[in-house]
Amino acid sequence: AVVTGSNRGIGFEIVKQIAGHGVTVILASRNPSAGIEAAKSLQELGLSVVFRQLDVLDTSSIQHFAEWIKQNYGGIDILVSHSTQFTCDLYDSVVLRQFVVCQVNNAGVNFNLGSENSAEFAHLVVNTNYYGTKNVIEVMIPLMRPSPLGARIVNVSSRLGRVNRLGDVALREQLSDIGTLSEEIIDRTLSTFLRQVEDGSWASSGWPQVFTDYALSKLGVNCYTRLMAKVLSDRPEGEKIYVNCFCPGWVKTAMTGWAGNITPEEAADTGVWLSLLSDGMPTGKFFAERREINF
């Protein structure tokens, strides 16, 4: 399995719990020293965890990471993707139960809490949380190995990114229509938001007013999850790739200033469950506490 941004927090717990099921996990971290220490602590518990440096903001880093995976493992089974610089988990599993292939994307970052915002922070949050996740997925999909149970991509997201939090009714309807949803529409929505942050008009344009940058970046992740599930749905049996996202909740991590109400161990549970689920595998869905919720 591959887990992005997983040297601490939710990502670290996802690595630990998946490895606890006998899966070899690649613990990916932007910071080499932090990643090495995190992997070492899990290796000392007897878990099969390997560190590899990955910066989801750097396309060459993503490409080098993929090449390393191909050379050393041939492919991956699970990708857990939460492209956050604070808690980003990417793991690659050589053997996941019998034939499960999964990627968990767990990387994310946030700066603004209320009405204040800046173009610098907005671009960093959207580029990390949305484009980082998307770029990792695009590069890793060709490496996801055929499996009778299907490969898995799990994106760590947030309820803050729900479409119904948008004030623009027409935009809500456009992003909710899976029949016409496209990558162009998602990217255009985020580009419009970023331009309005730059010119100062974002606050009166119907965007969420709390954790605004983070909410928009996770809106992108949620929409992209649904879109990729649709794009990958016509793959033949034995080559299926299931794509889902989940909200870990308000977690006691560095990102929340340790103000959350659930532990990283509890927060990781749904992501691990989606990574290892063997019966009735869903795709294109949004989960919290192992239950499907609305986008």
Side-chain angles (χ1 to χ4, degrees):
V2 171
V3 183
T4 60
S6 47
N7 61 281
R8 63 177 176 177
I10 301 168
F12 179 82
E13 281 302 324
I14 292 175
V15 172
K16 181 178 181 181
Q17 292 180 31
I18 291 181
H21 286 270
V23 177
T24 294
V25 181
I26 307 302
L27 184 156
S29 168
R30 182 174 59 92
N31 184 318
S33 59
I36 290 170
E37 283 301 311
K40 181 180 178 182
S41 70
L42 295 176
Q43 292 163 0
E44 291 173 348
L45 297 177
L47 301 175
S48 181
V49 175
V50 179
F51 164 73
R52 186 67 181 179
Q53 196 274 341
L54 173 67
D55 184 350
V56 300
L57 287 174
D58 185 342
T59 54
S60 64
S61 176
I62 296 173
Q63 192 60 51
H64 291 152
F65 181 85
E67 291 169 357
W68 178 84
I69 290 289
K70 186 174 182 179
Q71 291 171 3
N72 289 273
Y73 298 96
I76 69 170
D77 302 300
I78 302 171
L79 172 61
V80 180
S81 209
H82 171 219
S83 290
T84 305
Q85 294 302 89
F86 288 159
T87 51
C88 165
D89 305 9
L90 175 66
Y91 54 77
D92 164 50
S93 116
V94 176
V95 181
L96 173 55
R97 289 197 172 170
Q98 287 189 336
F99 299 98
V100 179
V101 179
C102 174
Q103 162 174 336
V104 180
N105 291 306
N106 166 61
V109 64
N110 179 61
F111 295 98
N112 64 331
L113 300 178
S115 59
E116 295 185 1
N117 206 350
S118 74
E120 178 186 6
F121 285 159
H123 278 279
L124 178 58
V125 172
V126 171
N127 287 341
T128 302
N129 298 358
Y130 170 62
Y131 287 105
T133 293
K134 184 171 75 164
N135 291 340
V136 169
I137 290 174
E138 288 176 352
V139 171
M140 299 303 288
I141 279 178
L143 296 180
M144 304 198 80
R145 296 187 290 222
S147 160
L149 294 180
R152 284 91 192 279
I153 297 175
V154 180
N155 295 322
V156 182
S157 192
S158 172
R159 290 181 178 91
L160 291 173
R162 284 177 162 178
V163 174
N164 64 9
R165 298 188 70 241
L166 297 176
D168 186 330
V169 176
L171 180 59
R172 283 207 310 260
E173 293 176 350
Q174 190 176 41
L175 292 172
S176 299
D177 187 349
I178 190 60
T180 58
L181 183 65
S182 67
E183 192 170 335
E184 179 184 4
I185 291 173
I186 302 170
D187 289 356
R188 185 171 66 240
T189 298
L190 293 172
S191 294
T192 299
F193 166 69
L194 292 173
R195 285 198 304 272
Q196 292 179 352
V197 173
E198 292 170 356
D199 66 25
S201 64
W202 70 274
S204 59
S205 299
W207 306 113
Q209 297 297 299
V210 178
F211 294 109
T212 304
D213 301 342
Y214 188 79
L216 264 293
S217 70
K218 293 304 184 180
L219 170 72
V221 170
N222 289 346
C223 292
Y224 186 71
T225 296
R226 297 176 68 225
L227 177 63
M228 287 308 298
K230 177 186 174 183
V231 169
L232 298 170
S233 64
D234 61 354
R235 293 171 70 95
E237 291 299 325
E239 297 181 18
K240 296 289 188 184
I241 299 178
Y242 301 104
V243 189
N244 295 287
C245 57
F246 79 100
C247 176
W250 187 240
V251 189
K252 297 176 183 177
T253 64
M255 181 180 290
T256 66
W258 313 105
N261 56 12
I262 62 174
T263 66
E265 293 87 348
E266 294 168 326
D269 176 72
T270 298
V272 174
W273 172 70
L274 285 169
S275 300
L276 303 176
L277 191 63
S278 59
D279 296 322
M281 189 64 198
T283 193
K285 304 297 183 181
F286 191 17
F287 291 88
E289 295 88 40
R290 296 196 182 190
R291 296 189 299 271
E292 184 180 345
I293 60 176
N294 294 327
F295 278 97

